[in-house]
Amino acid sequence: MSTSPGPRQTPVLITVTGPDKPGVSSVLFAALTRHGVDIVDVEQVVIRGQLVLGALVGTDHDPEGLQESVEQAMATVAMRVDVEIGVDQHPSSGSTHVLVVLGRPVSAKAFGALARRLAALDINIDTIRRVADYPVTGLELRVSVPEDTDAADAALRSALAALSVKVGLDIAVERDLLARRAKRLIVFDVDSTLIQGEVIEMLAAKAGCEAEVREITEAAMRGEIDFTESLHRRVATLAGLPATVLDEVADALELTPGARTTIRTLKRLGYRCGVVSGGFTAIIDKLGEDLGLDFQAANELEVVDGVLTGRVIGDVVDREGKAVALRHFADAFHIPLAQCVAVGDGANDIDMLSTAGLGIAFNAKPALREVADTALSHPYLDVVLFVLGVTRAEVEAADLADGLDPERP
């Protein structure tokens, strides 16, 4: 298909609107065929049963006759039509970026603020489509940035990050490149990401020192103290606990809403899915088996005579260790880091998210949000799917095909 009418052709823009029904497109294109026009561009959208169909064509004779023919044809199917002859043409080089806007809800006020901010940056919205209506409203915008440079990209991200906080929307920004649809591996942090809560605090509750451990955990998540030091201090409080508490805690884990849907959907798409955690293998391994994960890495607690010693065996999976683990698994599956996604919530995930091609901060602390490619603030893990270009309709259709009920209230 050409991108603009021929040099001697008159451009004609035809816009058909009205209730969606079978046969509208066939009637329109039958009329166009009779006039021997060239199709330059076509776009159609249906919103709540209302059709908007646009066709840009080029004709080298009698554009007024074409207009009359189209108007008569559309009258036979009771559709409204607007025909603009000689419309100015500015051939588009294509969208440069994709924005995924997420809210619960997305208010007109908030979306209006986004539209105004884009206009102020001289950014055109090319297309808008809904990607989700549950558990959040998700809209995907393809936009054109005047200068597709690293500096312009950084300015856009900065501007929308500030707006996101102001209007209460999550706004993910990615360049509209083939790489966006070529991700093949995803790694999740576990505590407060794949699951609700912190495993170390659940273990500490068994030892009666939950408050002390939570204080250390929060300081580490904020990046105020070294993770390795904090891990050793927290694990030391577990000394003397029977090893059976590990199974008790593993059985009591609560997944983050949408976690199963997310893993199941990504595995259908061929992703390698796994976890890299500052938690503990005795618990993470069971989680991996339950979810059918492809890989996992975590710390190992020392157990002697059926009792926790309060020590960790081997190298600690800390901030740097998480990035090392991601590289290891990417190499093992022969997947470039640019095609990897990392999702986490704390300062301990900074290196891992920075290493991945796409780093997603999930209900994250400020230290991580500042370095992540995208920050999500809703407590549903399946919003990650929308950022990756998967729609809610696609998820539910796949579930129904497998005999599963969509996860809605």
Side-chain angles (χ1 to χ4, degrees):
M1 184 179 294
S2 63
T3 57
S4 61
R8 294 178 180 155
Q9 290 185 321
T10 300
V12 179
L13 178 62
I14 301 161
T15 306
V16 177
T17 58
D20 187 31
K21 67 186 78 172
V24 173
S25 297
S26 63
V27 170
L28 172 62
F29 284 95
L32 297 177
T33 299
R34 289 193 293 272
H35 282 261
V37 304
D38 292 337
I39 304 299
V40 178
D41 195 7
V42 178
E43 189 162 342
Q44 176 175 309
V45 64
V46 177
I47 303 175
R48 291 292 189 266
Q50 293 296 306
L51 170 72
V52 180
L53 169 60
L56 175 64
V57 304
T59 182
D60 51 16
H61 68 279
D62 194 17
E64 289 78 10
L66 170 63
Q67 177 176 357
E68 182 178 356
S69 179
V70 168
E71 289 173 346
Q72 291 174 351
M74 290 299 97
T76 67
V77 287
M79 298 294 285
R80 296 180 296 277
V81 62
D82 178 73
V83 179
E84 186 176 353
I85 298 173
V87 61
D88 288 338
Q89 285 308 299
H90 304 283
S92 172
S93 60
S95 302
T96 61
H97 289 72
V98 176
L99 312 182
V100 178
V101 180
L102 303 166
R104 199 168 185 246
V106 176
S107 69
K109 180 179 180 180
F111 191 83
L114 170 61
R116 289 192 299 274
R117 191 71 185 95
L118 293 175
L121 294 169
D122 198 25
I123 293 173
N124 186 62
I125 300 175
D126 302 321
T127 64
I128 303 174
R129 68 163 182 157
R130 188 181 72 177
V131 296
D133 63 347
Y134 173 83
V136 299
T137 297
L139 301 173
E140 181 185 84
L141 285 62
R142 278 186 155 75
V143 304
S144 298
V145 178
E147 296 182 11
D148 189 13
T149 63
D150 289 342
D153 182 72
L156 172 62
R157 291 174 186 276
S158 177
L160 296 188
L163 180 69
S164 175
V165 174
K166 182 178 180 180
V167 301
L169 296 176
D170 289 341
I171 307 173
V173 182
E174 283 195 83
R175 284 189 166 166
D176 193 12
L177 302 172
L178 183 62
R180 179 176 185 255
R181 298 176 293 279
K183 302 293 190 295
R184 296 169 52 202
L185 180 148
I186 188 166
V187 57
F188 296 91
D189 174 46
V190 175
D191 292 351
S192 297
T193 300
L194 195 62
I195 68 168
Q196 300 181 64
E198 301 282 327
V199 166
I200 187 67
E201 293 179 12
M202 297 171 69
L203 291 170
K206 302 285 186 179
C209 53
E210 186 176 10
E212 176 186 352
V213 166
R214 182 181 294 114
E215 183 178 343
I216 300 172
T217 297
E218 291 177 353
M221 293 290 281
R222 292 190 299 266
E224 296 173 0
I225 61 175
D226 176 76
F227 176 82
T228 301
E229 176 190 349
S230 73
L231 178 68
H232 288 305
R233 285 170 55 184
R234 289 177 292 176
V235 169
T237 67
L238 308 179
L241 280 177
T244 54
V245 301
L246 297 174
D247 289 331
E248 294 173 8
V249 169
D251 292 339
L253 295 181
E254 292 187 33
L255 293 173
T256 297
R260 288 191 187 278
T261 297
T262 302
I263 298 297
R264 181 172 66 244
T265 301
L266 292 176
K267 289 182 72 68
R268 284 183 182 130
L269 294 172
Y271 275 70
R272 295 290 186 173
C273 303
V275 295
V276 176
S277 172
F280 311 110
T281 54
I283 293 169
I284 302 306
D285 288 349
K286 288 191 173 185
L287 182 65
E289 182 178 352
D290 176 38
L291 293 174
L293 299 179
D294 298 298
F295 59 89
Q296 53 250 18
N299 295 301
E300 185 175 357
L301 293 173
E302 185 180 59
V303 178
V304 176
D305 296 329
V307 175
L308 299 181
T309 66
R311 293 188 293 271
V312 175
I313 299 174
D315 295 333
V316 170
V317 179
D318 55 8
R319 172 173 161 173
E320 181 181 356
K322 284 192 168 189
V324 170
L326 170 57
R327 293 191 187 95
H328 168 75
F329 291 123
D331 287 344
F333 292 112
H334 308 291
I335 297 174
L337 288 171
Q339 294 180 308
C340 295
V341 182
V343 185
D345 75 305
N348 193 38
D349 298 310
I350 288 176
D351 290 4
M352 183 172 74
L353 266 66
S354 299
T355 299
L358 175 64
I360 300 176
F362 181 74
N363 291 293
K365 306 299 184 296
L368 185 62
R369 293 177 67 93
E370 291 174 2
V371 302
D373 297 304
T374 294
L376 303 175
S377 60
H378 295 91
Y380 312 102
L381 201 62
D382 38 355
V383 297
V384 170
L385 296 173
F386 312 143
V387 172
L388 296 176
V390 182
T391 70
R392 171 57 61 182
E394 291 168 334
V395 173
E396 295 186 350
D399 281 346
L400 287 171
D402 287 344
L404 302 173
D405 292 329
E407 293 186 11
R408 292 195 183 220

